[in-house]
């Protein structure tokens, strides 16, 4: 077990993201809950992870599944009670599993008492907790768009003012310029730290510093000042792990957020690798592997010794990686394992999203069956542009966030063992084949491959410390790299195609020990989606 009293312990850790609504239902209402998570801690212990990132469980109208918080110090009754949360923290901590809570500091729900007060009058003390501009009903301050569609400005007739909402009208942006608001947020964070929470994932953190009058939504001047204040006032303990979600962030900016002097955050989630096969959010092009490799190389080199990377392929906003970059048909198992190795071999802290360790896949639903507000708004906006449902649906099958949010597949039984009733979002029909029960019974399962990757990371320091060297950058079929320290050498070779590819094995690794492979042996040409990991002591 990791020594979590050590500063930077999280550099050796692996985290697991739970989307509570879809993880495990225990009271038969079709929605996952905290008791469900408590009941599955054994499973996470078996996988070998060190901590859990818990997507929001706070009180919320759930316009955006909890990313619209109406009380930061209360648990949503759907998920249970504060006593359940205390029990989860105690049970998790007892097993050495750190709980990282999701924290939405950029905006609140429009049902938060602060906002209800704020919109009750311009003179109300809470008015300044949000961002307002004067205007007339048909003339918003500018043409900034909200992430989930429509304008980023919503009119409140009683005030003759617009409020600023970068995501949706139900998620008004908080005014970080206001020191009283900031103080209130820091106190709230201390409330959770005092309860035993070991860290936070900071939602949309790049959007905290904003300059709506310039049309700018992210990475604005005061942002890093806020990060340092957060660290000083709220994240006081050196051992807390903090990971900021920052979609629009490049390497230079990341060096600041995640700088090794520890004055801001532990690390950020950056998304450059997730944009390469995407055009205008809803369009898909084939994965340009050469660009992907260059992208990883840039991040691995950029943060080496100066910051820290997070490593991930999936989360609750992204499609399932095996459907996206792998093959979710014939080579589902092989490609899921290959992608896992490619990701977990690099320097940084890996995050596994629930079901990724089973090789769970995307889903196709009728438009009525989807839940996500982004999907629904997109569908309506495209219809209004004159496109037909047949033209729109393929982009939703590819990018829709509900791909990642279908219930966790535990068994081949009713509702995949997730619930005893029809769940809030349909179960993927492939649950009879893809589920935890069968994965645990099969020594070759994707689950055990992840388990091995996690164990290897714990065993060999080269995973944490090794320098990264990309091999054959221009090879568009395979991704190969080495990790090196003075005493250890690691080689990772991944075939991204369904065809055989020539062997890749630098001289120095001839006869090296095979640490892991997704086929029975690791010799000769690379088979479809083959992944090999070789190890050599210096
Ligand atoms: O995501 C931030 C964000 O920018 C995403 O909305 C992203 O643009 C979108 O998901 C792409 O499909 C965070 C949360 O992860 C997301 O679930 C929330 O909806 C969002 O913030 C608002 O809180
Ligand atoms: Ca439930």
């Amino acid at each position: 077990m990791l020594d979590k009293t050590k500063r930077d312990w999280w550099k050796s850790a692996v985290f697991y993201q739970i989307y509570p609504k879809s993880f495990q239902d225990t009271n038969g209402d079709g929605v996952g809950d905290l008791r469900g998570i408590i009941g599955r801690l054994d499973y996470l212990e078996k996988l070998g992870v060190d901590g859990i990132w818990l997507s929001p469980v706070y009180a919320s109208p759930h316009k955006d599944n909890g990313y619209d918080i109406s009380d930061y110090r209360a648990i949503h009754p759907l998920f249970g009670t504060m006593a359940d949360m205390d029990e989860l923290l105690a049970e998790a901590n007892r097993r050495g599993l750190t709980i990282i809570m999701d924290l939405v500091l950029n905006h609140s729900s429009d049902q938060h008492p602060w906002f209800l007060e704020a919109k009750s009058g311009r003179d109300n003390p809470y008015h300044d907790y949000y961002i307002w501009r004067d205007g007339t009903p048909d003339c918003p301050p500018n043409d900034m768009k909200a992430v989930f569609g429509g304008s980023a400005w919503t009119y409140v007739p009683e005030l003759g003012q617009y409020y600023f909402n970068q995501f949706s009208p139900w998620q008004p942006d908080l005014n970080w310029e206001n020191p009283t608001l900031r103080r209130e947020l820091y106190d709230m964070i201390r409330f959770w730290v005092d309860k035993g929470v070991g860290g936070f994932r900071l939602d949309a953190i790049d959007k905290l510093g904003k300059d709506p009058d310039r049309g700018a939504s992210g990475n604005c001047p005061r942002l890093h000042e806020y990060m340092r204040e957060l660290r000083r006032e709220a994240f006081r303990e050196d051992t807390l792990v903090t990971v900021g979600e920052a979609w629009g962030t490049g390497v230079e900016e990341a060096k600041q957020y995640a700088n090794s002097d520890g004055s801001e955050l532990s690390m950020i989630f950056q998304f450059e690798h997730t944009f390469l096969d995407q055009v205008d959010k809803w369009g898909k092009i084939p994965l340009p592997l050469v660009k992907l490799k260059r992208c990883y190389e840039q991040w691995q080199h950029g943060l080496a010794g100066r910051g820290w990377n997070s490593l991930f392929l999936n989360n609750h906003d992204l499609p399932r990686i095996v459907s996206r970059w792998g093959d979710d048909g014939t080579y589902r198992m092989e490609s899921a394992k290959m992608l896992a190795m490619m990701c977990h071999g690099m320097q940084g802290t890996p995050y596994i999203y629930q079901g990724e360790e089973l090789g769970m896949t995307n889903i196709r639903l009728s438009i009525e069956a989807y839940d996500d507000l982004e999907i629904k708004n997109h569908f309506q906006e495209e219809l209004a542009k004159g496109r037909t449902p047949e033209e729109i649906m393929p982009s939703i099958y590819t990018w829709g966030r509900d791909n990642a949010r279908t219930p966790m597949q535990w068994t081949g039984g009713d509702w995949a063992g997730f619930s005893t009733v029809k769940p809030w979002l349909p179960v993927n029909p492939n649950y009879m084949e893809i589920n935890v029960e069968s994965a645990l019974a099969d020594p070759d399962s994707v689950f055990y491959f992840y388990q091995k990757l996690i164990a290897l990371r714990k065993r060999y320091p080269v995973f944490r410390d090794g320098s990264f060297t990309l091999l054959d950058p221009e090879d568009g079929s395979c991704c190969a790299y080495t990790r090196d320290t003075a005493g250890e050498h690691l080689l990772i070779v991944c075939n991204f195609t369904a065809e055989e590819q020539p062997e890749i094995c630098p001289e120095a690794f001839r006869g090296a020990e095979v640490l892991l492979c997704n086929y029975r042996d690791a010799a000769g040409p690379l088979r479809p989606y083959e992944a090999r990991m070789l190890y050599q002591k210096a």
Side-chain angles (χ1 to χ4, degrees):
M1 209 190 279
L2 296 177
D3 177 1
K4 294 187 176 174
T5 60
K6 271 204 183 131
R7 188 196 162 103
D8 292 0
W9 64 268
W10 38 264
K11 290 189 176 173
S12 311
V14 179
F15 289 95
Y16 186 92
Q17 183 191 354
I18 290 182
Y19 197 67
K21 238 183 143 168
S22 305
F23 194 60
Q24 176 72 70
D25 177 26
T26 55
N27 64 344
D29 63 358
V31 180
D33 42 56
L34 293 172
R35 302 221 66 84
I37 301 173
I38 296 170
R40 294 296 184 181
L41 292 174
D42 284 346
Y43 171 74
L44 298 181
E45 233 183 337
K46 190 178 176 79
L47 182 58
V49 295
D50 306 283
I52 299 168
W53 152 22
L54 197 59
S55 275
V57 290
Y58 311 92
S60 159
H62 271 221
K63 290 283 186 189
D64 187 16
N65 283 343
Y67 286 93
D68 49 326
I69 300 172
S70 54
D71 185 348
Y72 288 87
R73 296 178 192 233
I75 298 295
H76 194 307
L78 255 185
F79 296 129
T81 62
M82 191 59 87
D84 295 329
M85 186 66 203
D86 289 335
E87 189 177 328
L88 171 60
L89 282 165
E91 280 298 311
N93 289 337
R94 191 173 63 79
R95 293 158 198 260
L97 290 167
T98 297
I99 302 265
I100 297 184
M101 280 186 92
D102 216 312
L103 206 52
V104 189
L105 301 176
N106 177 69
H107 47 271
S108 74
S109 159
D110 66 338
Q111 298 306 307
H112 195 292
W114 296 339
F115 190 72
L116 298 177
E117 290 280 338
K119 69 170 193 182
S120 73
R122 289 181 183 223
D123 299 330
N124 189 290
Y126 290 98
H127 186 260
D128 190 51
Y129 274 30
Y130 296 86
I131 298 166
W132 302 91
R133 295 288 179 269
D134 293 345
T136 49
D138 44 2
C139 188
N142 57 37
D143 58 7
M144 283 181 82
K145 295 275 171 272
V147 172
F148 299 139
S151 170
W153 297 98
T154 303
Y155 194 62
V156 177
E158 304 81 57
L159 296 181
Q161 285 187 313
Y162 284 87
Y163 64 85
F164 185 54
N165 55 262
Q166 297 196 68
F167 288 94
S168 78
W170 303 286
Q171 296 162 300
D173 273 55
L174 289 163
N175 177 20
W176 269 71
E177 301 272 327
N178 183 316
T180 320
L181 163 81
R182 299 207 300 276
R183 181 77 262 153
E184 223 167 319
L185 292 172
Y186 304 153
D187 290 346
M188 174 274 291
I189 293 172
R190 295 308 301 170
F191 167 83
W192 290 106
V193 174
D194 292 343
K195 273 190 176 292
V197 167
F200 298 91
R201 176 267 189 187
L202 306 158
D203 189 69
I205 202 71
D206 52 333
K207 295 193 181 285
L208 244 58
K210 40 212 149 198
D211 193 352
D213 300 319
R214 279 200 308 112
S217 64
N219 296 326
C220 285
R222 294 191 69 186
L223 179 61
H224 293 281
E225 180 191 324
Y226 298 147
M227 294 301 106
R228 289 190 294 271
E229 191 178 279
L230 257 169
R231 168 72 166 98
R232 277 195 317 271
E233 300 291 327
F235 305 142
R236 283 180 224 140
E237 293 78 358
D238 279 342
T239 50
L240 282 177
V241 34
T242 52
V243 46
E245 185 212 29
W247 280 73
T249 298
V251 179
E252 288 313 309
E253 188 87 30
K255 282 183 198 162
Q256 233 179 307
Y257 277 115
N259 64 44
S260 345
D261 71 7
S263 60
E264 295 194 14
L265 306 176
S266 312
M267 62 192 121
I268 60 160
F269 290 128
Q270 60 82 20
F271 290 80
E272 285 195 346
H273 60 290
T274 72
F275 296 138
L276 300 172
D277 55 344
Q278 190 174 33
V279 245
D280 300 333
K281 171 72 186 98
W282 295 94
K284 167 107 173 120
I285 53 168
L287 175 70
L289 185 62
V290 170
K291 280 194 187 158
L292 180 72
K293 287 157 57 169
R294 289 291 193 193
C295 174
Y296 280 132
E297 180 184 44
Q298 192 200 358
W299 281 92
Q300 289 287 299
H301 289 174
L303 295 193
R306 330 180 51 167
W308 193 251
N309 274 292
S310 65
L311 307 170
F312 69 97
L313 299 169
N314 269 112
N315 67 29
H316 63 293
D317 294 331
L318 301 172
R320 292 283 178 181
I321 201 64
V322 69
S323 301
R324 182 178 183 176
W325 290 355
D327 170 357
D328 63 10
T330 318
Y331 295 113
R332 186 184 65 84
M333 303 256 282
E334 289 82 356
S335 61
K337 293 174 186 174
M338 181 279 285
L339 291 163
M341 188 190 287
M342 193 256 322
C343 178
H344 284 241
M346 288 186 279
Q347 185 173 47
T349 299
Y351 291 78
I352 300 165
Y353 178 70
Q354 65 183 44
E356 180 185 332
E357 79 282 15
L358 306 175
M360 274 178 66
T361 68
N362 281 354
I363 196 172
R364 291 176 177 218
L365 300 172
S366 65
I367 188 66
E368 298 75 34
Y370 285 104
D371 174 87
D372 179 27
L373 89 164
E374 185 180 59
I375 294 179
K376 289 178 172 172
N377 288 350
H378 171 67
F379 186 79
Q380 290 307 329
E381 285 193 347
E382 294 300 304
L383 272 189
K385 286 183 200 157
R387 299 183 66 206
T388 64
E390 294 69 35
E391 287 168 329
I392 307 168
M393 291 314 288
S395 63
I396 293 176
Y397 301 151
T398 308
W399 297 115
R401 301 194 298 179
D402 284 340
N403 280 311
R405 301 176 181 185
T406 61
M408 180 72 179
Q409 294 161 208
W410 295 103
T411 70
D414 289 351
W415 315 116
F418 165 73
S419 178
T420 50
V421 301
K422 187 171 181 236
W424 70 282
L425 192 67
V427 173
N428 194 309
N430 61 24
Y431 72 95
M432 305 263 248
E433 181 202 341
I434 307 173
N435 61 64
V436 168
E437 195 174 49
S438 53
L440 293 181
D442 170 13
D444 287 328
S445 67
V446 180
F447 175 91
Y448 289 118
F449 200 81
Y450 270 90
Q451 188 190 54
K452 285 175 193 147
L453 283 169
I454 297 167
L456 288 168
R457 177 168 282 267
K458 299 286 158 61
R459 179 151 170 216
Y460 299 103
V462 66
F463 282 91
R464 188 192 56 222
D465 303 328
S467 64
F468 175 95
T469 308
L470 182 64
L471 306 180
D472 304 320
E474 298 306 318
D475 177 347
S477 306
C478 296
C479 174
Y481 59 85
T482 59
R483 301 285 314 282
D484 304 280
T485 62
E488 298 179 283
H489 304 289
L490 188 68
L491 170 71
I492 310 257
V493 177
C494 297
N495 179 359
F496 266 73
T497 73
E499 286 84 48
E500 198 175 279
Q501 301 294 342
E503 181 172 26
I504 301 174
C505 187
E507 212 39 57
F509 285 93
R510 292 272 161 215
E513 180 189 352
V514 179
L515 287 187
L516 193 59
C517 180
N518 58 352
Y519 282 84
R520 293 214 174 278
D521 52 59
L526 297 162
R527 287 151 287 192
Y529 295 102
E530 182 163 349
R532 294 178 186 169
M533 185 184 277
L534 274 70
Y535 180 81
Q536 187 87 284
K537 273 218 179 308

